[in-house]
Amino acid sequence: MNTAEVEMSSRNHLLGSIAGSGAVAVRGAAEVLFAAAGKRLLDEGTREGLRRAMVHNATAVVDTLAPGLAMGAQTTAKSIVDQGGKQAGAQIAQEAARQAGQAALAGAAPEGARALAREAMKTAGREVLKGAGKAAGIGFLVDGAFGTYEGITAYQRGEMTRKEAIAHAAQEASTGAVATGAGVLLAAGLVAMTGGAAAPLVFAVGAGGAIGTKQILRRLIGRASSKILVRAVPAGVQPG
């Protein structure tokens, strides 16, 4: 690997680790969503096929763009679980028990059961979004720092104007936030649709989703910039 490839791999490792860790942290909440509604959406065969396809694709992305990250996924995921990765699920269960007790005292079993399911889903959904938002915030800071460094060095070498350097830093920060948040949501969605999955698998889906999203955003922004440059340069005039 050359220096640029090593740097990109390191950035992918960081983004993947942020998203993977965030995904494991909200796994308990996603399992509550599955129990409350997701298990009724797909049959078991479809759920298993979807789970295998997503895990396979995410793992392929991680192995290609962040080699070595998957090897540490099991240890990292176990550590997160041991440190309270299922805390959200436990809190939701406690809230559900409280709601059930109130419903029983009110003597309205059917209505209470429906209210219980709605409350559990709302609480679980908030936990998932909170986890995705936290990961996105960290991704914003991490990729923003990389983008700022790249912008400053490119400006010093005369490869970017000051405005372009600032725009580059902003683009890296925003795409880092979107990518890490998307990775967490993708993994949480998988659990919510297909049921419980081992923590390393959830980590891999979150990491692969973030790294893949970042690559897609880079390509889209690169194409958009090229089109803008072509339109800005009159016919027959060479840019530069």
Side-chain angles (χ1 to χ4, degrees):
M1 282 190 182
N2 57 38
T3 303
E5 290 174 336
V6 170
E7 180 183 335
M8 186 59 65
S9 178
S10 298
R11 291 179 65 173
N12 288 337
H13 270 77
L14 280 172
L15 285 182
S17 296
I18 293 166
S21 300
V24 174
V26 302
R27 184 176 60 142
E31 288 173 349
V32 171
L33 290 175
F34 173 76
K39 64 184 179 182
R40 294 190 291 272
L41 298 178
L42 302 172
D43 60 68
E44 180 57 35
T46 304
R47 287 199 295 266
E48 182 61 24
L50 177 61
R51 184 187 297 114
R52 287 184 179 182
M54 289 188 67
V55 170
H56 173 75
N57 291 334
T59 302
V61 170
V62 171
D63 289 343
T64 301
L65 300 176
L69 178 59
M71 295 176 61
Q74 186 165 355
T75 301
T76 303
K78 184 179 184 302
S79 175
I80 296 167
V81 172
D82 291 343
Q83 293 174 10
K86 291 190 175 182
Q87 182 180 1
Q91 291 174 343
I92 294 167
Q94 291 173 1
E95 178 63 20
R98 184 183 69 81
Q99 291 286 335
Q102 291 180 348
L105 289 174
E111 292 79 4
R114 286 193 290 270
L116 170 61
R118 287 195 298 270
E119 184 65 25
M121 289 181 64
K122 285 168 58 178
T123 306
R126 284 195 296 268
E127 289 298 325
V128 169
L129 292 176
K130 186 188 300 182
K134 182 178 180 180
I138 299 173
F140 180 91
L141 294 175
V142 169
D143 254 13
F146 275 107
T148 300
Y149 172 77
E150 290 170 346
I152 290 174
T153 54
Y155 173 72
Q156 292 174 340
R157 292 194 300 264
E159 297 172 356
M160 285 186 180
T161 64
R162 184 187 300 272
K163 184 176 180 180
E164 289 171 341
I166 293 172
H168 177 76
Q171 286 176 355
E172 289 299 306
S174 58
T175 53
V178 171
T180 47
V184 173
L185 292 177
L186 179 65
L190 173 65
V191 175
M193 291 288 289
T194 67
L201 298 183
V202 176
F203 183 98
V205 172
I211 296 170
T213 300
K214 180 70 178 186
Q215 295 300 312
I216 292 171
L217 292 173
R218 282 196 184 105
R219 293 193 188 100
L220 291 176
I221 290 174
R223 290 173 185 171
S225 299
S226 298
K227 290 180 180 178
I228 292 172
L229 178 62
V230 169
R231 287 198 298 267
V233 178
V237 178
Q238 295 294 323

